Amino acid sequence: MFQTTLDTPTGPIHVTQEGEAITRLTWGRGRSDDTPLLGEAASQLRAYFEGTLTEFDLPLEVKGSEFQKKICDAMYAIPFGDTVEYGDIARQLGAPAQAIGQGCGANPIPVIIPCHRVLSASGLGGFSGGTGIETKVWLLRHEGAAGLLI
């Protein structure tokens, strides 16, 4: 397992690589290893936060149940600047919206797998990364989805 940390406008982000895939992204600091994949992940994340990258192209491995992987696949397909509701993914996967919300909260690779683009029917919903909802709002504004917040 290799890891790297980079500073972002939402705080330091810690990225983990296992094998040849990115497996985790968390807020906080940790050690910084030097691998080609972590270098590329850091480069793409910097470009995202600078506003020059709208789609990540990294090998990812979601460690979790098959259902969790399906939720992450559905979130990964949401384009930059777009949002969907938990209910939209629930209908797509034939599952309760509450289960989708729990799966979004358990997303092991936020930002790259954009769980921040999933909203509740009545508002923003939650966000388990960074400083919580403030980080979700920052990411949505960064992507130009701020019209939803006004």
Side-chain angles (χ1 to χ4, degrees):
M1 179 179 344
F2 300 100
Q3 303 171 331
T4 195
T5 300
L6 64 143
D7 291 318
T8 76
T10 62
I13 287 181
H14 191 70
V15 182
T16 301
Q17 171 187 344
E18 293 182 45
E20 295 302 316
I22 300 301
T23 58
R24 182 160 291 286
L25 185 150
T26 57
W27 274 262
R29 294 200 177 279
R31 72 176 195 264
S32 285
D33 299 318
D34 185 19
T35 72
L37 178 55
L38 287 174
E40 181 61 25
S43 177
Q44 288 188 33
L45 283 160
R46 282 187 195 97
Y48 168 81
F49 282 106
E50 291 168 356
T52 60
L53 181 117
T54 60
E55 187 174 318
F56 291 95
D57 182 21
L58 296 165
L60 308 175
E61 182 181 343
V62 173
K63 296 196 181 267
S65 69
E66 287 304 310
F67 184 62
Q68 179 68 45
K69 292 174 184 179
K70 287 179 183 180
I71 293 171
C72 286
D73 288 345
M75 290 186 294
Y76 191 74
I78 304 167
F80 181 93
D82 285 353
T83 59
V84 302
E85 293 179 1
Y86 298 114
D88 296 325
I89 296 176
R91 283 185 290 282
Q92 178 184 342
L93 299 182
Q98 183 179 13
I100 302 304
Q102 291 169 344
C104 289
N107 175 13
I109 317 171
V111 180
I112 297 171
I113 297 176
C115 51
H116 60 277
R117 297 177 189 159
V118 185
L119 310 174
S120 77
S122 60
L124 287 171
F127 192 72
S128 60
T131 57
I133 202 70
E134 294 86 5
T135 300
K136 184 173 189 168
V137 168
W138 192 97
L139 293 167
L140 290 170
R141 284 188 174 143
H142 173 67
E143 294 187 8
L148 300 167
L149 309 174
I150 298 172

